[in-house]
């Protein structure tokens, strides 16, 4: 019986660790719901904030891409990040 409990414990712990290490796929198209707020300063939708939070680990990658850098560094992006409670890194 003890072996069964121990095995179950290991499975539960491994499942929890696997959940924590889910990789994020960096896809700037996921931020399309935020296009209006970034370009015009409009209020973000819930979908925008949800996607922004999901893509947060990718911000340095986007910031280092000349195609997206101006959007990430814009005043509207900073306003959007504050509204969605997301931090844009400065040390990339």
């Amino acid at each position: 019986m003890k072996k069964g409990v121990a095995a179950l414990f290991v499975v539960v712990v491994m499942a929890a660790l696997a959940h924590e290490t889910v990789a994020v796929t960096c896809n700037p198209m996921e931020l399309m719901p935020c296009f209006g707020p970034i370009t015009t300063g409009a209020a973000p939708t819930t979908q925008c904030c949800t996607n922004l939070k999901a893509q947060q680990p990718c911000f340095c990658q986007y910031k280092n891409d000349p195609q997206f850098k101006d959007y990430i560094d814009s005043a509207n992006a900073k306003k959007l990040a504050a509204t969605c409670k997301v931090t844009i890194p400065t040390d990339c």
Side-chain angles (χ1 to χ4, degrees):
M1 183 69 172
K2 288 183 182 182
K3 286 184 182 180
V5 172
L8 179 61
F9 177 76
V10 169
V11 169
V12 169
V13 168
M14 289 183 74
L17 290 174
H19 178 71
E20 290 178 13
T21 59
V22 172
V24 173
T25 301
C26 294
N27 180 357
M29 294 305 292
E30 292 293 322
L31 298 177
M32 283 306 293
C34 300
F35 186 74
I38 290 174
T39 58
T40 68
T45 63
T46 301
Q47 186 65 52
C48 168
C49 288
T50 298
N51 290 14
L52 195 66
K53 289 175 185 175
Q55 291 290 300
Q56 189 172 3
C58 306
F59 288 173
C60 281
Q61 178 182 331
Y62 298 154
K63 225 175 155 169
N64 291 326
D65 185 326
Q67 193 174 16
F68 303 115
K69 183 177 180 13
D70 290 341
Y71 292 108
I72 296 290
D73 288 338
S74 72
N76 285 338
K78 290 174 181 141
K79 176 182 166 187
L80 170 64
T83 301
C84 293
K85 296 179 176 62
V86 172
T87 303
I88 297 175
T90 56
D91 59 343
C92 297

